[in-house]
Amino acid sequence: MKYKIAIVDDHVLIANALKSIISNFPQFEVIHISENGLDLQQKLNKESEIPNIVLLDVSMPIMDGFETAQWLKENYPEVLIMALSMQDDDKSLIKMIKNGAKGYMLKNAQPTQLIEGLNNLMERGQFFPDWASSKIITSISGNSTSIESCVDFSEREKEFLKYVTTEMTYKEISEIMYCSPRTVENYRDSLFEKLELKSRVGLAVYAIKNGFSV
């Protein structure tokens, strides 16, 4: 049995290169390529074949990766989404996870990393870059218990967690929380210690998973 993959990327050369690489993986096959989310919608609405995985470019015209991921989440929740990006951008990662992506890969990845990612997605339901800690992965997979049952948060830390999932900078968060940037950094550092995390991505994913997001 081969797992079916759909590629959504407005760069024809990249899409065809991905298809060529995947053709060397015996357990996977590319069933179609779309130029954007709208093109994918039309193909899925017309065809009976539903992919197991959608390799989804984040930045596209007409209907980008964020909108497409949200649409897939609502209409084809069984489809696993692997976001593709040119940069290791925290904001894009956080937003794609909020919109339903179960994986995230940079476009400069090696073929060995691509097959590893695809296999992990099918076998474990997720694949994220090394800079996403194991605790983040556990949270995304749904195997962790609620944060509040494990950690004692202050009300201000809970408020900060809501804003950390947005695209606001720490300075902008401090303004909306009516405190200094240094105070916001203190909330961040306190949460890093309590949750044993090292990045804003980690805090954001925990917040999303546990209902703290705005």
Side-chain angles (χ1 to χ4, degrees):
M1 172 185 172
K2 287 192 174 185
Y3 296 115
K4 299 169 184 176
I5 294 177
I7 298 171
V8 187
D9 196 310
D10 63 312
H11 294 95
V12 177
L13 286 176
I14 291 177
N16 285 321
L18 282 169
K19 182 179 180 180
S20 178
I21 292 170
I22 293 170
S23 69
N24 294 314
F25 305 154
Q27 67 272 48
F28 296 100
E29 65 173 334
V30 175
I31 58 173
H32 56 71
I33 294 174
S34 301
E35 295 182 1
N36 53 63
L38 183 59
D39 188 18
L40 176 68
Q41 280 186 1
Q42 293 169 346
K43 284 185 169 67
L44 292 181
N45 289 334
K46 289 179 181 178
E47 300 175 10
S48 58
E49 239 180 351
I50 304 301
N52 301 104
I53 296 174
V54 170
L55 291 179
L56 181 60
D57 187 15
V58 173
S59 301
M60 297 179 292
I62 302 176
M63 185 174 180
D64 64 18
F66 304 117
E67 294 177 273
T68 307
Q70 184 65 43
W71 182 83
L72 285 168
K73 180 181 177 182
E74 293 170 357
N75 294 276
Y76 295 92
E78 73 278 14
V79 174
L80 297 167
I81 302 169
M82 174 80 83
L84 299 173
S85 178
M86 292 295 292
Q87 299 178 331
D88 54 348
D89 174 26
D90 289 4
K91 290 181 180 179
S92 293
L93 172 60
I94 292 168
K95 192 170 181 179
M96 287 302 292
I97 291 173
K98 289 178 75 171
N99 288 16
K102 300 299 182 183
Y104 197 91
M105 181 169 291
L106 298 180
K107 288 187 176 182
N108 63 358
Q110 297 295 319
T112 53
Q113 293 172 305
L114 177 60
I115 186 60
E116 178 189 4
L118 294 175
N119 282 327
N120 272 271
L121 206 55
M122 290 308 308
E123 294 169 8
R124 303 177 186 176
Q126 65 204 10
F127 180 80
F128 290 93
D130 292 340
W131 42 275
S133 72
S134 59
K135 274 206 164 189
I136 299 173
I137 303 305
T138 301
S139 175
I140 296 168
S141 68
N143 295 327
S144 63
T145 55
S146 171
I147 298 177
E148 288 191 272
S149 66
C150 304
V151 180
D152 183 21
F153 288 148
S154 71
E155 290 303 314
R156 293 290 274 175
E157 286 172 343
K158 292 178 184 178
E159 184 180 359
F160 171 71
L161 274 173
K162 291 181 181 179
Y163 295 126
V164 84
T165 65
T166 69
E167 297 183 5
M168 287 189 289
T169 64
Y170 287 132
K171 184 176 186 298
E172 290 169 336
I173 292 173
S174 72
E175 291 171 356
I176 202 169
M177 289 184 68
Y178 300 104
C179 62
S180 69
R182 181 57 191 163
T183 299
V184 161
E185 290 174 3
N186 288 338
Y187 295 145
R188 177 201 63 193
D189 294 344
S190 174
L191 289 168
F192 279 168
E193 183 176 353
K194 289 179 179 181
L195 299 174
E196 299 178 26
L197 295 171
K198 298 179 180 180
S199 71
R200 177 169 177 166
V201 173
L203 292 179
V205 174
Y206 263 116
I208 294 165
K209 177 63 185 176
N210 291 270
F212 287 105
S213 59
V214 174

